[in-house]
Amino acid sequence: MDTELNLSGMEDADYIAALLLKQLRQEITEVELEYLESWKAAHPSHARVAEQINDGEQLLADLQAMKQVDMDGWWQKISAQIPQVNKTVPFYRRWYAYAAAAAVLLVAGAITWQYWKPGHLPEPTNEKHLPYVVDVKPGGNRATLTLSNGTAIELAGAANGNLAKEGGTNVLKVKDGELKYEHAGTAAVNDNDVVWNTLTTPRGGRYSLQLPDGSKVWLNAASSIKYPAHFSTTERRVIVTGEAFFEVAAGNKKWPFKVMIPPRRGGAGEILEVLGTSFNISAYNDEADIRTTLLKGKVKIAALQLQAGEQSDFKVLSPGQQARIPHNVIAGKDPISIVNLEDVEEVSGWKDGMIHLEDADIRSIMRIISRWYNIEVSYEGQTPAYTFTGTLPLKENLSSVIKVLEYEGVRLRMQQNRIIVLP
């Protein structure tokens, strides 16, 4: 039986952590103990967290792997949940500050991840969780801008201001992580003089872009967008690989905005015509399909097939819908399927460093982690058949993300710049 993710439970993390620490000091009341035991019985991961918090050495190991935690800040936050804790635990006791921080992180992880599709839990092990020797910081604002003459500009090291002039347009780095195209003057640009630029993010990089028409694009890790420095008078066309979120400036039928996803060899691509809208496109080649999710407005979508040189009929998406086109299209079958989503905002949560997962298997999760932290992933033996529903915090160091998975039974090993998933 599936366990639903209880987001409201996150608000109880500080309170539960404080109760666990009071129990550790044998200062918990009968009423508090009854509440705590009820929480531990609600999900197997809760009981495992309680056991870990009762192991003082393990708590310190956990915190050593997360040195960015403000120990005293966490302790002050959770001690405020129960007035008695303030009276009984002096702040100069550094161990309790460490324990408080670890307790909150462990409890938050247990509340956030309640998933289990297979209907069984992994067998508990006696292995100690060891702190990572080398941690990996999350990705950041990194991208390469390639101009029409082939010049490549690494934006992370470029100063703010005017970077180049392309096709009658100034290319500006507005601030770290943001690029903007601005018309350089009043003279019109001939359609025959349109030049193309490409913005590319590496693994572990993201960037945002304002196109010449005012449309905004957010580019996820390991992605690219190719676009004219100045749009023609007949259409606004861009080419995308990987994942991007768009907020398209309003146009008209005579000046449509089109997004193309190039077909991979032997597979399908996508052409999307926008009617003034906000949408997310995920088109990584290592995923099973191309997914276009509409938040606002309206879009028309057709599948492109490279081998056949054909284009499917267009389908129209309404807000709250997601179109899926498999990379490997089956002949004679409609390539586009449309599903309704309960919360389309979650699809674009990656822009804010949060990945929302629903029934995601371990391999799809590790692909996300690999792209964002720029690490390799390999598997030993049979891949665990778990699926997850929850939120992955990609603003944290890699060790924090791995802990969320480990505390839910996934066995991982770090070797330099590689995560090994164990059976």
Side-chain angles (χ1 to χ4, degrees), residues 70-347:
D70 178 1
M71 308 303 179
D72 292 325
W74 274 109
W75 175 244
Q76 292 176 26
K77 183 179 179 183
I78 73 162
S79 62
Q81 300 292 321
I82 303 178
Q84 295 93 324
V85 176
N86 279 329
K87 297 177 182 178
T88 57
V89 184
F91 283 103
Y92 64 82
R93 297 286 295 276
R94 296 290 296 174
W95 186 87
Y96 284 101
Y98 276 72
V104 171
L105 291 168
L106 291 174
V107 171
I111 291 175
T112 303
W113 288 88
Q114 298 178 1
Y115 55 95
W116 304 113
K117 276 292 190 184
H120 66 277
L121 294 172
E123 294 295 325
T125 73
N126 294 321
E127 295 180 8
K128 287 277 188 179
H129 173 80
L130 298 177
Y132 296 104
V133 176
V134 178
D135 205 353
V136 180
K137 292 183 178 180
N141 296 322
R142 291 191 288 274
T144 301
L145 173 64
T146 303
L147 303 177
S148 58
N149 63 3
T151 300
I153 302 173
E154 296 296 333
L155 296 177
N160 294 346
N162 198 355
L163 300 177
K165 187 174 181 179
E166 290 278 276
T169 303
N170 288 325
V171 184
L172 306 172
K173 181 180 177 182
V174 179
K175 60 181 180 180
D176 184 33
E178 186 176 335
L179 200 63
K180 181 180 181 180
Y181 281 68
E182 198 171 72
H183 189 45
T186 56
V189 178
N190 191 299
D191 284 358
N192 295 325
D193 296 331
V194 170
V195 296
W196 290 74
N197 288 183
T198 303
L199 183 65
T200 306
T201 55
R203 295 200 306 173
R206 286 180 186 158
Y207 227 81
S208 65
L209 164 70
Q210 182 171 313
L211 294 167
D213 68 332
S215 297
K216 296 181 180 179
V217 185
W218 288 259
L219 206 59
N220 204 348
S223 303
S224 71
I225 179 170
K226 185 176 181 179
Y227 51 92
H230 184 89
F231 287 118
S232 73
T233 57
T234 56
E235 68 174 13
R236 298 170 289 169
R237 182 183 292 260
V238 300
I239 302 170
V240 170
T241 66
E243 184 166 25
F245 180 84
F246 286 80
E247 288 183 356
V248 176
N252 54 57
K253 292 183 178 180
K254 294 183 179 180
W255 202 39
F257 192 100
K258 296 181 179 181
V259 181
M260 292 191 65
I261 307 297
R264 69 182 187 185
R265 185 176 299 276
E270 175 180 294
I271 184 167
L272 180 148
E273 187 169 329
V274 182
L275 308 173
T277 187
S278 299
F279 59 95
N280 191 84
I281 293 181
S282 179
Y284 289 110
N285 282 336
D286 58 357
E287 299 294 346
D289 50 23
I290 302 168
R291 299 191 174 193
T292 302
T293 308
L294 182 62
L295 281 73
K296 298 178 182 177
K298 187 177 290 187
V299 297
K300 297 194 304 183
I301 295 177
L304 298 175
Q305 293 179 259
L306 185 64
Q307 276 188 325
E310 298 176 351
Q311 176 180 312
S312 72
D313 293 334
F314 276 100
K315 287 190 175 181
V316 177
L317 274 188
S318 298
Q321 291 185 325
Q322 182 181 83
R324 300 175 182 178
I325 301 175
H327 285 296
N328 298 315
V329 174
I330 300 175
K333 185 178 179 180
D334 186 352
I336 304 175
S337 61
I338 296 178
V339 298
N340 295 311
L341 302 182
E342 291 185 6
D343 190 350
V344 291
E345 296 286 347
E346 291 186 349
V347 174

